[in-house]
């Protein structure tokens, strides 16, 4: 039953924003729900990865009580990579595509990005009730910035997926 609930939430997060647009007769591109790769997105993605993952890797390697990087077997890497990529698509569609766009109608871009990132981080506590998962607020800011800057969820989704891939080896585990 628990897996059924997770699949239901994932379906709602992925398809809900598209249904919203259909019912309201709105163009999904207003919500960044087009998989476009705007000019400059590659440069910004690389910059965001360098600015965030290099310092985070250094921090992770010196995290108390952890031996990082991990050395998972190839099967584990494959499963976690698929799971992380799927989560990136679903979460970016919902949070940066839909929530951030709705907030942006009433708030400044900075406030919409920050509030969306806060909701994104808080939602991680539902699945992982450990305070360290609130740190997802910070990559949420980067993904929100990419969405705001490029009008598409594609750059933030790739950033999210690559961040999830990085986490396989370097995210300090509270478990």
């Amino acid at each position: 039953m628990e897996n059924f609930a997770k699949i239901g939430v994932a379906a709602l997060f992925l398809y809900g924003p598209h249904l919203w647009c259909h019912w309201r007769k709105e163009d999904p591109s207003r919500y960044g729900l087009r998989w476009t790769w705007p000019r400059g997105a590659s440069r910004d993605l690389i910059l965001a990865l360098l600015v965030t993952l290099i310092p985070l890797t250094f921090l992770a390697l010196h995290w108390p009580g952890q031996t990082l990087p991990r050395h998972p077997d190839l099967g584990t890497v494959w499963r976690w990579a698929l799971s992380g990529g799927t989560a990136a698509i679903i979460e970016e569609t919902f949070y940066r595509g839909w929530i951030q766009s709705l907030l942006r109608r009433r708030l400044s871009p900075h406030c919409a990005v920050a509030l969306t990132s806060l909701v994104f981080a808080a939602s991680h506590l539902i699945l992982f009730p450990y305070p360290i998962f609130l740190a997802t607020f910070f990559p949420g800011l980067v993904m929100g910035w990419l969405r705001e800057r490029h009008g598409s969820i594609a750059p933030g989704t790739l950033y999210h997926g690559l961040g999830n891939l990085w986490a396989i080896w370097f995210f300090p585990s509270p478990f």
Side-chain angles (χ1 to χ4, degrees):
M1 187 64 166
E2 182 180 324
N3 284 338
F4 185 72
K6 287 180 183 177
I7 291 170
V9 169
L12 177 67
F13 275 31
L14 184 59
Y15 297 112
H18 294 280
L19 289 172
W20 169 271
C21 292
H22 177 75
W23 287 329
R24 295 179 53 96
K25 298 182 182 359
E26 291 185 270
D27 183 0
S29 64
R30 287 188 62 202
Y31 296 85
L33 298 174
R34 296 277 189 234
W35 292 95
T36 60
W37 197 261
R39 179 178 291 247
S42 296
R43 177 199 63 235
D44 290 345
L45 174 65
I46 291 167
L47 178 65
L49 289 167
L50 291 173
V51 167
T52 58
L53 293 186
I54 290 173
L56 284 175
T57 301
F58 179 80
L59 183 64
L61 291 173
H62 296 88
W63 196 262
Q66 298 279 319
T67 303
L68 298 171
R70 285 182 203 82
H71 301 287
D73 62 82
L74 187 57
T76 299
V77 169
W78 181 246
R79 282 190 312 279
W80 287 356
L82 283 175
S83 175
T86 301
I89 292 167
I90 291 168
E91 291 176 350
E92 291 310 300
T93 298
F94 185 77
Y95 291 104
R96 259 55 69 178
W98 192 51
I99 299 294
Q100 183 172 317
S101 296
L102 290 176
L103 291 172
R104 180 65 174 86
R105 291 178 178 181
R106 302 217 181 248
L107 302 172
S108 71
H110 297 334
C111 287
V113 167
L115 190 53
T116 301
S117 297
L118 186 62
V119 172
F120 174 71
S123 72
H124 281 76
L125 291 179
I126 295 168
L127 292 175
F128 309 106
Y130 301 96
I132 193 165
F133 283 95
L134 287 173
T136 58
F137 173 79
F138 298 105
L141 292 174
V142 174
M143 294 177 287
W145 171 74
L146 288 167
R147 160 67 178 93
E148 192 66 35
R149 183 164 169 84
H150 296 290
S152 171
I153 61 170
T157 301
L158 185 54
Y159 175 87
H160 192 153
L162 291 171
N164 287 347
L165 191 62
W166 172 90
I168 293 170
W169 290 279
F170 294 104
F171 189 77
S173 176
F175 313 116

